Amino acid sequence: GQQVMQIPQYQHVQEGEDFTTYCNSSTTLSNIQWYKQRPGGHPVFLIQLVKSGEVKKQKRLTFQFGEAKKNSSLHITATQTTDVGTYFCAGPSFGNEKLTFGTGTRLTIIP
Amino acid sequence: DGGITQSPKYLFRKEGQNVTLSCEQNLNHDAMYWYRQDPGQGLRLIYYSQIVNDFQKGDIAEGYSVSREKKESFPLTVTSAQKNPTAFYLCASSIGEKKLFFGSGTQLSVL
C-alpha cells in the first residue's frame, strides 16, 4: 500500500533559525496537503499543492511539490515560538480517495 | 458556528466492553473519516464514508465498526475485538479531495 514518510521525525531549533521538513511518498500523488497539530490539539489544514513543481508561500512558510509529484517540503524561515507543533503532509494516490498521512515532524523551539 | 464535534473528550473502556465515539458535523460535508493517532505517531485511517449509508474500511479497520445513517453523523464503535484500543481518535470531514476539517478528538484509555 501507499506509504508516506517524513524526515526528520524530530527537530529542535533555536528561535530565529530556519526549519525544513521533507515528505516522500511511495506512489505518485494527485495533490499534497500540509497540516499542523499543536501539542494537545488536532490537525489544522495549512495548504494544498496540486501542480508538479508548484511553490506556495504563506508569510514565513514555503511549500514545494516535487516535479514527479512524489515528494514535498515545508520550510519555515526565522522560526517563532508559535511554530511549535507537529507538521504532517498528506496525499491521495491517483484514483484513490483515501488521504494517507505522513509520519510527521515534531518541531520544538528553544527560546 | 460550523464545525465538527466529537464526544466525549475522554473515554475509559473496561475489558470486553464495546464503546462508541460520537462525531457530528454541521458543515454539510459528504465525506467523513475516522483516524487513530498513537503517541508521537502519524494518523492512520480506520474507516471513511463518502456518502450516507455507505462506508469503506481504511488501513486499520479490524476491531472497529461504523455507521452512516445521517449525513451529519459518523459514530465509531471500538469493539472488544480491538485488543489495543488506547489512542487518540480523530474524526474529520471534507468535500471531495479538499482539505480535512478535524474535530478536537477523543482520548480512549483502557481501565
Side-chain angles (χ1 to χ4, degrees):
Chain A
Q2 180 190 14
Q3 290 188 332
V4 181
M5 303 297 293
Q6 282 182 253
I7 55 170
Q9 188 175 5
Y10 302 97
Q11 185 80 59
H12 311 281
V13 301
Q14 202 83 32
E15 187 175 7
E17 291 182 340
D18 292 356
F19 159 77
T20 304
T21 173
Y22 300 91
C23 173
N24 292 285
S25 171
S26 59
T27 59
T28 304
L29 303 170
S30 59
N31 67 80
I32 189 85
Q33 299 176 21
W34 284 91
Y35 292 79
K36 176 183 178 181
Q37 184 176 23
R38 293 182 185 274
H42 59 275
V44 174
F45 174 83
L46 293 176
I47 205 161
Q48 181 183 43
L49 304 172
V50 179
K51 298 177 183 176
S52 169
E54 189 171 11
V55 178
K56 285 189 177 180
K57 292 190 175 185
Q58 286 181 349
K59 297 182 180 178
R60 295 178 294 105
L61 278 62
T62 302
F63 304 84
Q64 289 189 316
F65 198 11
E67 294 290 341
K69 303 185 82 171
K70 293 182 72 173
N71 62 289
S72 182
S73 66
L74 158 59
H75 179 81
I76 303 178
T77 304
T79 54
Q80 300 175 359
T81 54
T82 53
D83 296 325
V84 164
T86 301
Y87 293 85
F88 293 99
C89 62
S93 296
F94 278 101
N96 185 345
E97 65 271 20
K98 290 192 305 180
L99 199 63
T100 298
F101 277 77
T103 47
T105 296
R106 184 174 175 182
L107 172 64
T108 56
I109 307 287
I110 305 165
Chain B
D1 216 8
I4 299 182
T5 302
Q6 286 188 245
S7 63
K9 191 173 177 65
Y10 300 97
L11 186 59
F12 297 90
R13 193 192 88 167
K14 295 180 182 178
E15 189 96 19
Q17 186 183 41
N18 292 353
V19 291
T20 298
L21 283 60
S22 170
C23 178
E24 303 278 331
Q25 56 104 354
N26 60 6
L27 300 168
N28 200 33
H29 287 171
D30 288 317
M32 296 187 75
Y33 310 80
W34 275 104
Y35 286 90
R36 169 178 171 143
Q37 186 174 33
D38 292 281
Q41 298 196 25
L43 283 69
R44 292 184 290 168
L45 184 62
I46 305 172
Y47 267 98
Y48 63 104
S49 168
Q50 299 289 103
I51 197 169
V52 175
N53 292 322
D54 188 41
F55 49 82
Q56 284 77 42
K57 293 182 179 179
D59 302 314
I60 56 166
E62 187 174 347
Y64 300 97
S65 66
V66 293
S67 63
R68 187 84 187 277
E69 296 176 1
K70 297 186 297 182
K71 186 175 185 177
E72 57 270 22
S73 179
F74 192 41
L76 173 74
T77 296
V78 184
T79 75
S80 56
Q82 173 50 245
K83 298 305 180 189
N84 184 24
T86 297
F88 189 50
Y89 290 86
L90 287 158
C91 179
S93 71
S94 74
I95 298 177
E97 283 190 358
K98 303 301 182 184
K99 61 183 179 181
L100 294 183
F101 290 81
F102 283 89
S104 54
T106 294
Q107 177 63 51
L108 176 62
S109 303
V110 177
L111 288 176

